[in-house]
Amino acid sequence: MAARGGGGRGASRPLNVEQIVQEAKSFDYNPHIPLRYWLRSAGTLLKEAEIYESEGNQQQTYLLLFRHAQLVLNHLTTHPNASSADEKAGLLQAKKDVDNNLSKLDRLKPQINKKYEHYEKLAKDRAAETPHSLSRHASSVSREEWRFGDRGRRSSIDPVGTQSIAASENKDLAVKLARSEIKRRAIARKATRQAGISEEVEQERRTAGLWGNWEEAFTNDEKDIDRDTLSRQMQNVRMQVDGKKDSSTRVQEGLRPRPPPSRSQYSYPTVPHQNQYHDGVSDAPRPPSERPFNIAEPSRKPPTPPPKNDIQALSAPLKPAKTPLQDHELAARRDSSPAPDLKPSGFTFKPSAFLENGSPLRTIFLPPELRQQFLSIAETNTRNNLETCGILCGTLISNALFISKLVIPEQKSTSDTCETVNENLLFDYVDGEDLMVLGWIHTHPTQTCFMSSRDLHTHSGYQVMIPESIAIVCAPTKSPDWGVFRLTDPPGMKSVLNCTQSGLFHPHAETNIYTDALRPGHVFEAKGLEYDVHDMRLKS
């Protein structure tokens, strides 16, 4: 039920708020799904909204925030487990998040409608100039069908003016985007931590929209970030948290008229534009490093030029001999060269596949080496005929999902099952690293590569949180020895969620309950995509 799809039509026409709300209300809710899964899904909606907002996609931001409010207020408050002591704290926080985001929705609403009205005016003016061309277009796709047609046709709400690209043809670009954006976010997160900002305060202020341009302050091009810069940025964010501003900001604000006071008690972050980032160099005048030359001083004379014969006697320096660079020197030079100025807001990855109900699926980029490293980690368990599982985590960039972290949780295993333990610690780590759960991976030490009934029920919890979630099954002793799967929707999701059968292995009536997500599907292996491994079983 999370944000679906991405950019099937490139720079699509804007929608007004009423149209966005209609799409936001379109999701399936099942009260039989445990409340903890729905609360995780609500958190994922907020995380996606934050990323879409940072990339300038106001329409998708509004859709996700409204869907979050709809889910929490209209459904989760009446969930059968809503009165459970274990879920009360999470539900209370979800309601607070809604309260905080209502002001942001109010702020976005006039901006979205203004863009829509501007576009409609331009469209009418153009229609008046070329009525024949417009009527021919309207005959093939009506305006209402184009806007509200089936979810297969209307793949998602795209930011106007971005370049819509296909994942299959732009894997190298995807890797470069991920490398620069993930590094940028890591620098911002590190600086925030070193500034003494707790994860709780950070999350609270993110949700309430009280961070101003805190992240931009940390994310100038990494080549310009030294220890002094990082220290200064940490001081700036600390002052922002305390309600203060650094001196450079006060000087700049003194040069421009102050805007009228807002009725809202919150100060929301501005949506960054493509050319908003700078190298952090101040434009303030600097004192000269040396005393300027004074033409009034008679004692200062230009130096006497050397005699001509001395100049002629000088010989040109010898040209140094060329020596080929070694492989490691070439690699170092490539690594130190500045990365291209790629901004996630400039691109939108189109959906690579669709659910069986026509809803588009955003692309997931998967590091090809991750599977083999996971098998190496699981080798001891595999030899002992014990399953091993890992959690696939990552982030959202340019309407695509990138797996960037393999987390091995604490777990207990048998030959046919693997269950995570201390899930709260797992999700605390994921949230602290600003990650999204994109699926899971596990081994079948002696069985073939397939999704057992137990696997299907486990995966339904992941796919509730985000419809693109995947399950990777590794069967190292069989052929094929691995696969990437998802539940069909319909009938797979509904069948599994409504299943009340007990027992480790039990049949389901549907034959097409799950399907391949890799060949073909919405998952693409991207060579060079970087990832980390965090093994929570290793006690520090």
Side-chain angles (χ1 to χ4, degrees):
M1 70 134 291
R4 300 188 182 210
R9 285 184 171 268
S12 61
R13 73 173 67 201
L15 301 182
N16 61 27
V17 168
E18 181 182 355
Q19 295 162 350
I20 296 173
V21 166
Q22 292 303 314
E23 292 203 21
K25 291 180 177 179
S26 179
F27 65 89
D28 297 326
Y29 173 74
N30 186 333
H32 299 297
I33 298 173
L35 180 56
R36 68 179 185 276
Y37 291 129
W38 282 121
L39 290 174
R40 291 299 306 177
S41 183
T44 300
L45 289 173
L46 292 183
K47 194 167 291 185
E48 292 184 26
E50 179 187 335
I51 295 173
Y52 277 117
E53 183 182 21
S54 72
E55 295 180 0
N57 192 335
Q58 293 179 326
Q59 296 186 111
Q60 191 72 10
T61 302
Y62 194 98
L63 183 148
L64 293 169
L65 293 180
F66 192 94
R67 180 173 289 171
H68 174 269
Q70 185 86 0
L71 172 65
V72 173
L73 299 182
N74 290 7
H75 298 294
L76 300 192
T77 54
T78 59
H79 190 279
N81 303 131
S83 58
S84 169
D86 295 335
E87 310 297 348
K88 274 188 177 180
L91 189 56
L92 180 61
Q93 181 59 50
K95 288 194 233 180
K96 287 182 179 178
D97 292 338
V98 172
D99 291 339
N100 291 331
N101 287 322
L102 289 178
S103 297
K104 187 177 290 187
L105 288 169
D106 288 339
R107 178 179 61 84
L108 289 173
K109 182 176 180 179
Q111 298 177 28
I112 293 172
N113 282 336
K114 184 177 180 180
K115 289 180 180 179
Y116 170 81
E117 292 165 3
H118 179 68
Y119 185 93
E120 289 295 302
K121 183 179 183 303
L122 292 178
K124 288 180 181 178
D125 293 344
R126 184 172 298 178
E129 295 174 3
T130 56
H132 178 68
S133 173
L134 183 65
S135 62
R136 184 171 67 251
H137 172 73
S139 64
S140 58
V141 181
S142 70
R143 290 163 66 95
E144 287 304 306
E145 180 189 10
W146 195 93
R147 289 175 181 162
F148 293 112
D150 60 64
R151 296 177 71 89
R153 176 184 296 279
R154 172 112 193 122
S155 57
S156 81
I157 301 180
D158 304 331
V160 177
T162 62
Q163 182 180 352
S164 192
I165 56 179
S168 59
E169 302 168 2
N170 293 277
K171 294 181 183 178
D172 291 340
L173 173 62
V175 171
K176 293 176 182 176
L177 269 173
R179 183 178 295 132
S180 62
E181 181 63 10
I182 291 173
K183 186 178 294 185
R184 183 190 70 81
R185 296 179 189 177
I187 292 171
R189 190 167 58 252
K190 179 180 178 182
T192 304
R193 297 289 176 266
Q194 292 184 356
I197 314 301
S198 68
E199 294 178 14
E200 293 77 9
V201 172
E202 177 188 353
Q203 184 59 38
E204 180 181 346
R205 297 181 74 87
R206 278 177 182 271
T207 305
L210 293 172
W211 281 89
N213 63 344
W214 72 276
E215 192 171 71
E216 181 187 344
F218 292 144
T219 54
N220 294 323
D221 200 340
E222 192 193 23
K223 63 179 180 291
D224 297 322
I225 294 184
D226 53 21
R227 293 182 63 182
D228 293 337
T229 304
L230 190 59
S231 176
R232 184 172 63 255
Q233 291 171 345
M234 292 187 324
Q235 293 174 5
N236 289 345
V237 76
R238 182 72 259 179
M239 286 189 290
Q240 284 186 327
V241 171
D242 296 336
K244 303 175 183 178
K245 296 179 180 178
D246 63 298
S247 57
S248 62
T249 304
R250 288 196 295 269
V251 170
Q252 293 173 3
E253 288 188 349
L255 298 177
R256 59 175 181 262
R258 295 181 179 272
S262 171
R263 290 178 299 175
S264 172
Q265 60 179 324
Y266 299 112
S267 172
Y268 296 107
T270 57
V271 180
H273 299 289
Q274 215 156 322
N275 298 322
Q276 193 173 359
Y277 297 97
H278 53 82
D279 59 5
V281 179
S282 173
D283 295 331
R286 300 177 180 176
S289 57
E290 297 180 0
R291 181 183 176 189
F293 180 72
N294 189 346
I295 59 175
E297 296 184 18
S299 61
R300 291 184 177 271
K301 296 180 181 179
T304 305
K308 286 186 178 181
N309 57 350
D310 290 345
I311 297 177
Q312 293 171 352
L314 296 174
S315 59
L318 294 176
K319 189 176 182 180
K322 292 184 177 180
T323 56
L325 291 174
Q326 300 299 318
D327 290 343
H328 68 278
E329 294 175 315
L330 289 171
R333 180 168 295 186
R334 283 194 301 268
D335 293 340
S336 62
S337 60
D341 189 23
L342 295 175
K343 296 291 188 292
S345 57
F347 304 93
T348 295
F349 284 99
K350 295 186 286 188
S352 304
F354 295 83
L355 290 174
E356 288 68 24
N357 63 13
S359 299
L361 292 170
R362 293 167 296 185
T363 298
I364 287 185
F365 287 104
L366 171 69
E369 301 85 1
L370 183 145
R371 175 174 53 92
Q372 287 300 330
Q373 185 165 2
F374 172 70
L375 285 174
S376 298
I377 294 171
E379 184 176 5
T380 301
N381 276 0
T382 302
R383 285 200 309 264
N384 294 325
N385 194 24
L386 296 173
E387 286 195 3
T388 308
C389 67
I391 310 300
L392 304 173
C393 300
T395 190
L396 171 66
I397 303 172
S398 299
N399 205 51
L401 300 161
F402 292 80
I403 293 175
S404 59
K405 180 88 71 172
L406 170 62
V407 180
I408 310 298
E410 296 182 47
Q411 53 197 268
K412 56 181 180 180
S413 304
T414 71
S415 60
D416 300 315
T417 64
C418 183
E419 295 181 1
T420 60
V421 297
N422 295 329
E423 277 193 347
N424 289 338
L425 292 178
L426 168 64
F427 287 123
D428 285 346
Y429 173 79
V430 170
D431 293 338
E433 293 295 309
D434 203 20
L435 295 168
M436 298 166 58
V437 175
L438 303 178
W440 62 305
I441 181 172
H442 72 289
T443 56
H444 283 181
T446 58
Q447 298 184 58
T448 58
C449 182
F450 75 108
M451 291 281 282
S452 68
S453 55
R454 182 66 170 265
D455 295 340
L456 296 174
H457 282 267
T458 299
H459 188 65
S460 65
Y462 289 91
Q463 208 162 314
V464 162
M465 290 190 286
I466 178 170
E468 290 87 358
S469 294
I470 57 173
I472 301 179
V473 180
C474 299
T477 63
K478 307 296 179 180
S479 181
D481 59 355
W482 75 295
V484 184
F485 307 109
R486 67 168 176 85
L487 296 179
T488 56
D489 190 10
M493 276 290 286
K494 186 175 181 179
S495 173
V496 173
L497 291 174
N498 291 332
C499 177
T500 58
Q501 298 184 71
S502 59
L504 189 58
F505 297 102
H506 56 266
H508 294 90
E510 293 78 7
T511 56
N512 59 332
I513 203 165
Y514 70 95
T515 187
D516 201 321
L518 182 66
R519 307 183 188 92
H522 67 292
V523 179
F524 288 85
E525 290 187 291
K527 187 176 181 181
L529 184 60
E530 299 172 354
Y531 70 98
D532 298 319
V533 178
H534 180 69
D535 195 336
M536 301 187 73
R537 302 172 304 172
L538 305 177
K539 303 296 184 181
S540 56

